[in-house]
Amino acid sequence: RSSDLCRGSETARGEGRRAAVLRAMDTYVGFSTLPNQVHRKSVKKGFDFTLLVAGESGLGKSTLVDSLFHTDLYKDRTILNAQDRIQKTLEIIKHAVEIEEQGVKMKLTVVDTPGFGDAVDNSECWTPIAEYIDQQFEQYFRDESGLNRKNIQDNRVHCCLYVISPFSHGLRPLDIEFMKAVHNKVNIVPVIGKADALTPGEVKKKKQKIRDEIEEFGINIYQFPDCDSDEDEEFKQQDRQLKDSTPFAVIGSNTIVKEAKGIAVRGRLYPWGIIEVENDAHCDFQKLRTMLIQTHMQDLKDVTQDVHYENYRAQCIQSMTRIGAKDRSSRNKLSRQSVTELSLPLLPLAETEKLIREKDEELRRMQEMLQKMQQQMQQSQGEQSDTL
């Protein structure tokens, strides 16, 4: 009897499991796999990120970038002497490198600005940088407005690391003017370079001074998004630490040194000891890397797309609308003038109308092609149904 009862209970449990599986199959649709599909597609396509680095010479910008991404972008760099720097003007240099980590590929573009702030008179030295950012917006706007939108290359600047000198009392006039010139075009992340020149107390005072001046002069730096309510407490704590650390006091180094216990670390060796670059007790380098790569890289790209680029795009559309309104008003004025008066001003108007007609004809051809493709698909579907 006991064996019969055991067999009966096992049969009941088996039937219960089968019933649960059948119920799950009845309610299962499959859209829960969408994140996996998006993940596979994103990993296959790869990622891109453009970082602009600005600040005066000698603050460790090149070393900082190489330390952040474990790259060697500046191996062929030559350091100019004082006389050459006086004659040299600001230039924009792009360094592109493809990085792969655990099967994830990323195209990193670092935009360097050698010569920034090195002149005796630095008036308007930020203009080439602001123009470069606008040029990337303009190129993306042209590509987005064109007919071939499938393979648009995104060269827009997603983040600007602005390196502040540790030897000044707060922000210098050049720092203020530069950030005010580009703060509505790009995400500014201010950092204090060569922070090993300051004591912990000096770092704390300098950070507060810079935060106060940023607020005083109305400078919009990158704002960390608020955490969602369902985030775990560890992530919220990390987010609070990142917000409190702005501006990040960083130290860069590509040198591997051994500490007293024989452990190899990335740092700087001094007669009085070793500064570990990736030690939070020594500097904010690890926090900057965490924010820039691990936690907020996608948000930097989203803010670039949804805020800065949309502002530029809206300005372009408004200017085009104003130009169109002026053209229509001038066209009405011209229509009331005599034929002899129209002979000269009609030339640019005729060229504009010619371009409009060509675009309309191109759109008409594309619509006809789409209609033919739809008809062919309908015919093929009808033939398949007839065969079935």
Side-chain angles (χ1 to χ4, degrees), residues 222-264:
Y222 173 68
Q223 298 295 323
F224 292 87
D226 295 330
C227 292
D228 295 331
S229 57
D230 58 347
E231 295 286 356
D232 55 23
E233 191 59 35
E234 183 179 356
F235 182 83
K236 292 180 180 179
Q237 178 66 23
Q238 183 188 56
D239 187 70
R240 284 193 294 268
Q241 291 177 356
L242 293 177
K243 291 179 180 178
D244 295 338
S245 299
T246 307
F248 299 96
V250 297
I251 304 166
S253 175
N254 295 318
T255 305
I256 303 298
V257 296
K258 288 188 177 181
E259 59 177 9
K261 297 180 180 179
I263 302 175

Coordinates of all heavy atoms in Angstrom, one line a residue, residues 222-264:
Y222 N 28.1 68.6 -17.4 CA 27.3 67.4 -17.5 C 26.7 67.1 -16.1 O 27.4 67.0 -15.1 CB 28.2 66.2 -17.9 CG 27.5 64.9 -17.9 CD1 26.5 64.6 -18.8 CD2 27.9 63.9 -17.0 CE1 25.9 63.4 -18.7 CE2 27.3 62.7 -16.9 CZ 26.3 62.4 -17.8 OH 25.6 61.2 -17.8
Q223 N 25.4 66.8 -16.2 CA 24.6 66.5 -14.9 C 24.3 65.0 -14.9 O 23.8 64.5 -15.8 CB 23.3 67.3 -14.9 CG 23.5 68.8 -14.9 CD 24.2 69.3 -13.6 OE1 24.0 68.7 -12.5 NE2 25.1 70.3 -13.7
F224 N 24.7 64.4 -13.8 CA 24.4 63.0 -13.7 C 22.9 62.7 -13.6 O 22.2 63.4 -12.8 CB 25.1 62.4 -12.4 CG 26.6 62.4 -12.5 CD1 27.4 63.5 -12.2 CD2 27.3 61.3 -13.0 CE1 28.8 63.5 -12.3 CE2 28.6 61.2 -13.1 CZ 29.4 62.3 -12.7
P225 N 22.4 61.8 -14.3 CA 21.0 61.5 -14.2 C 20.6 60.9 -12.8 O 21.5 60.2 -12.2 CB 20.7 60.5 -15.3 CG 22.0 59.8 -15.5 CD 23.1 60.8 -15.2
D226 N 19.4 61.1 -12.4 CA 18.9 60.6 -11.1 C 18.8 59.1 -11.2 O 18.3 58.5 -12.3 CB 17.6 61.2 -10.7 CG 17.8 62.7 -10.4 OD1 18.9 63.1 -10.0 OD2 16.8 63.5 -10.6
C227 N 19.0 58.4 -10.2 CA 18.9 56.9 -10.1 C 17.4 56.5 -10.1 O 16.6 57.2 -9.5 CB 19.6 56.3 -8.9 SG 21.4 56.4 -9.0
D228 N 17.1 55.4 -10.8 CA 15.7 54.9 -10.7 C 15.4 54.3 -9.3 O 16.3 53.9 -8.6 CB 15.5 53.8 -11.8 CG 15.6 54.4 -13.2 OD1 15.3 55.6 -13.4 OD2 16.0 53.6 -14.1
S229 N 14.2 54.3 -9.0 CA 13.8 53.8 -7.7 C 14.1 52.3 -7.5 O 14.3 51.9 -6.3 CB 12.3 54.1 -7.4 OG 11.5 53.4 -8.4
D230 N 14.1 51.6 -8.6 CA 14.4 50.1 -8.5 C 15.8 49.7 -8.5 O 16.2 48.6 -8.4 CB 13.6 49.4 -9.6 CG 14.1 49.9 -11.0 OD1 14.7 50.9 -11.0 OD2 13.7 49.2 -12.0
E231 N 16.7 50.7 -8.5 CA 18.2 50.4 -8.5 C 18.6 50.0 -7.1 O 18.0 50.4 -6.1 CB 19.0 51.7 -8.9 CG 18.8 52.2 -10.3 CD 19.5 51.3 -11.3 OE1 20.1 50.3 -10.9 OE2 19.3 51.5 -12.5
D232 N 19.6 49.1 -7.1 CA 20.0 48.6 -5.8 C 20.8 49.7 -5.0 O 21.3 50.7 -5.6 CB 20.9 47.3 -5.9 CG 22.1 47.5 -6.9 OD1 22.5 48.7 -7.0 OD2 22.6 46.5 -7.4
E233 N 20.9 49.5 -3.7 CA 21.5 50.5 -2.9 C 23.0 50.7 -3.2 O 23.6 51.8 -3.1 CB 21.4 50.1 -1.4 CG 21.8 51.2 -0.4 CD 20.9 52.4 -0.6 OE1 19.7 52.3 -0.9 OE2 21.4 53.5 -0.4
E234 N 23.7 49.6 -3.6 CA 25.1 49.8 -4.0 C 25.3 50.7 -5.2 O 26.2 51.6 -5.2 CB 25.7 48.4 -4.3 CG 27.2 48.4 -4.6 CD 27.7 47.0 -4.9 OE1 27.0 46.0 -4.8 OE2 28.9 46.9 -5.3
F235 N 24.5 50.6 -6.2 CA 24.6 51.5 -7.3 C 24.2 52.9 -6.9 O 24.9 53.9 -7.4 CB 23.6 51.0 -8.4 CG 23.7 51.8 -9.7 CD1 24.7 51.6 -10.6 CD2 22.8 52.9 -9.9 CE1 24.8 52.4 -11.8 CE2 22.9 53.6 -11.1 CZ 23.9 53.4 -12.0
K236 N 23.2 53.1 -6.1 CA 22.9 54.5 -5.6 C 24.0 55.1 -4.9 O 24.3 56.3 -5.0 CB 21.6 54.4 -4.8 CG 20.4 54.0 -5.5 CD 19.2 54.0 -4.6 CE 17.9 53.6 -5.3 NZ 16.7 53.6 -4.4
Q237 N 24.7 54.3 -4.0 CA 25.8 54.8 -3.3 C 27.0 55.2 -4.2 O 27.6 56.3 -4.0 CB 26.3 53.7 -2.3 CG 27.5 54.1 -1.5 CD 27.3 55.3 -0.5 OE1 26.1 55.6 -0.2 NE2 28.3 56.0 -0.2
Q238 N 27.2 54.4 -5.2 CA 28.3 54.7 -6.2 C 27.9 56.0 -7.0 O 28.8 56.8 -7.2 CB 28.4 53.5 -7.2 CG 29.5 53.7 -8.2 CD 29.5 52.6 -9.3 OE1 28.5 52.4 -9.9 NE2 30.6 51.9 -9.4
D239 N 26.7 56.1 -7.3 CA 26.2 57.3 -8.1 C 26.4 58.6 -7.2 O 26.9 59.6 -7.7 CB 24.8 57.2 -8.5 CG 24.3 58.3 -9.4 OD1 24.8 58.4 -10.5 OD2 23.5 59.1 -8.9
R240 N 26.1 58.5 -5.9 CA 26.3 59.6 -5.0 C 27.8 60.0 -4.9 O 28.2 61.2 -4.9 CB 25.7 59.3 -3.6 CG 24.2 59.4 -3.6 CD 23.7 59.4 -2.1 NE 24.0 58.2 -1.5 CZ 23.2 57.1 -1.4 NH1 22.0 57.2 -2.0 NH2 23.5 56.0 -0.8
Q241 N 28.7 59.0 -4.8 CA 30.1 59.2 -4.8 C 30.6 59.9 -6.0 O 31.4 60.8 -5.9 CB 30.9 57.9 -4.5 CG 30.6 57.3 -3.1 CD 31.4 56.0 -3.0 OE1 32.0 55.5 -3.9 NE2 31.3 55.4 -1.8
L242 N 30.1 59.5 -7.2 CA 30.5 60.1 -8.4 C 30.1 61.6 -8.5 O 30.9 62.5 -8.9 CB 30.0 59.4 -9.6 CG 30.5 58.0 -9.8 CD1 29.8 57.3 -11.0 CD2 32.0 58.0 -10.1
K243 N 28.9 61.9 -8.1 CA 28.4 63.3 -8.1 C 29.2 64.1 -7.1 O 29.5 65.3 -7.4 CB 26.9 63.3 -7.7 CG 26.0 62.7 -8.8 CD 24.5 62.7 -8.3 CE 23.6 62.1 -9.4 NZ 22.2 62.1 -8.9
D244 N 29.5 63.6 -5.9 CA 30.2 64.4 -4.9 C 31.7 64.6 -5.4 O 32.3 65.5 -4.8 CB 30.2 63.7 -3.6 CG 28.8 63.6 -3.0 OD1 27.9 64.4 -3.4 OD2 28.5 62.8 -2.1
S245 N 32.2 63.8 -6.3 CA 33.6 63.9 -6.6 C 33.9 64.9 -7.7 O 35.0 65.2 -8.1 CB 34.1 62.5 -7.1 OG 34.1 61.5 -6.1
T246 N 32.8 65.4 -8.3 CA 33.0 66.4 -9.4 C 33.5 67.8 -8.9 O 32.9 68.2 -7.9 CB 31.7 66.6 -10.2 OG1 31.2 65.3 -10.6 CG2 31.9 67.5 -11.4
P247 N 34.5 68.4 -9.5 CA 35.3 67.9 -10.6 C 36.4 66.9 -10.1 O 36.9 67.0 -9.0 CB 36.1 69.2 -11.0 CG 36.1 70.1 -9.8 CD 34.8 69.8 -9.0
F248 N 36.6 65.9 -10.9 CA 37.5 64.8 -10.6 C 38.9 65.3 -10.5 O 39.5 65.9 -11.4 CB 37.4 63.7 -11.6 CG 36.0 63.1 -11.7 CD1 35.1 63.5 -12.7 CD2 35.5 62.1 -10.8 CE1 33.8 63.0 -12.8 CE2 34.2 61.6 -10.9 CZ 33.4 62.1 -11.9
A249 N 39.6 65.0 -9.4 CA 41.0 65.2 -9.2 C 41.8 64.0 -9.6 O 41.7 63.0 -8.9 CB 41.3 65.6 -7.7
V250 N 42.5 64.1 -10.7 CA 43.0 62.9 -11.4 C 44.6 62.9 -11.5 O 45.2 64.0 -11.5 CB 42.4 62.6 -12.7 CG1 40.9 62.4 -12.6 CG2 42.7 63.8 -13.7
I251 N 45.1 61.8 -11.6 CA 46.6 61.6 -11.8 C 46.7 60.5 -12.9 O 46.0 59.5 -12.8 CB 47.3 61.2 -10.5 CG1 47.1 62.2 -9.4 CG2 48.8 61.0 -10.8 CD1 47.5 61.6 -8.1
G252 N 47.5 60.7 -13.9 CA 47.7 59.7 -14.9 C 49.0 59.2 -14.9 O 50.0 59.8 -14.6
S253 N 49.2 57.9 -15.3 CA 50.5 57.2 -15.4 C 50.3 56.0 -16.2 O 49.4 55.2 -16.0 CB 51.0 56.9 -14.0 OG 52.2 56.2 -14.1
N254 N 51.3 55.7 -17.0 CA 51.4 54.5 -17.8 C 52.5 53.6 -17.3 O 52.9 52.6 -17.9 CB 51.6 54.8 -19.3 CG 50.4 55.5 -19.9 OD1 49.3 55.1 -19.6 ND2 50.7 56.5 -20.7
T255 N 53.1 53.9 -16.1 CA 54.2 53.2 -15.6 C 53.8 52.2 -14.5 O 53.0 52.5 -13.7 CB 55.2 54.2 -15.0 OG1 55.6 55.2 -15.9 CG2 56.5 53.5 -14.5
I256 N 54.3 51.0 -14.6 CA 54.0 50.0 -13.6 C 55.2 50.0 -12.6 O 56.4 49.8 -13.0 CB 53.9 48.6 -14.3 CG1 52.8 48.6 -15.4 CG2 53.6 47.5 -13.2 CD1 51.4 48.9 -14.8
V257 N 54.8 50.2 -11.4 CA 55.8 50.2 -10.3 C 55.4 49.2 -9.2 O 54.3 48.7 -9.2 CB 55.9 51.6 -9.6 CG1 56.4 52.6 -10.7 CG2 54.6 52.1 -9.1
K258 N 56.4 48.8 -8.4 CA 56.2 47.8 -7.3 C 56.2 48.5 -6.0 O 57.1 49.3 -5.7 CB 57.2 46.7 -7.4 CG 57.1 45.8 -8.5 CD 58.0 44.6 -8.4 CE 57.8 43.6 -9.5 NZ 58.7 42.4 -9.4
E259 N 55.1 48.3 -5.2 CA 55.1 48.9 -3.9 C 55.9 48.0 -2.9 O 56.6 47.1 -3.3 CB 53.6 49.0 -3.5 CG 52.9 47.6 -3.4 CD 51.5 47.8 -2.9 OE1 51.0 48.9 -2.7 OE2 50.8 46.7 -2.6
A260 N 55.8 48.4 -1.6 CA 56.6 47.8 -0.6 C 56.4 46.3 -0.5 O 57.3 45.5 -0.2 CB 56.4 48.4 0.8
K261 N 55.1 45.8 -0.7 CA 54.8 44.4 -0.6 C 55.1 43.6 -1.9 O 54.8 42.4 -2.0 CB 53.3 44.2 -0.3 CG 52.9 44.8 1.1 CD 51.4 44.6 1.4 CE 51.0 45.2 2.7 NZ 49.6 45.1 3.0
G262 N 55.7 44.3 -2.9 CA 56.0 43.6 -4.1 C 54.9 43.5 -5.1 O 55.1 42.9 -6.1
I263 N 53.8 44.2 -4.8 CA 52.7 44.1 -5.8 C 52.8 45.2 -6.8 O 53.1 46.4 -6.5 CB 51.3 44.4 -5.0 CG1 51.2 43.3 -3.9 CG2 50.2 44.4 -6.0 CD1 49.9 43.5 -3.1
A264 N 52.7 44.8 -8.1 CA 52.8 45.7 -9.2 C 51.6 46.6 -9.4 O 50.5 46.0 -9.5 CB 53.1 45.0 -10.5

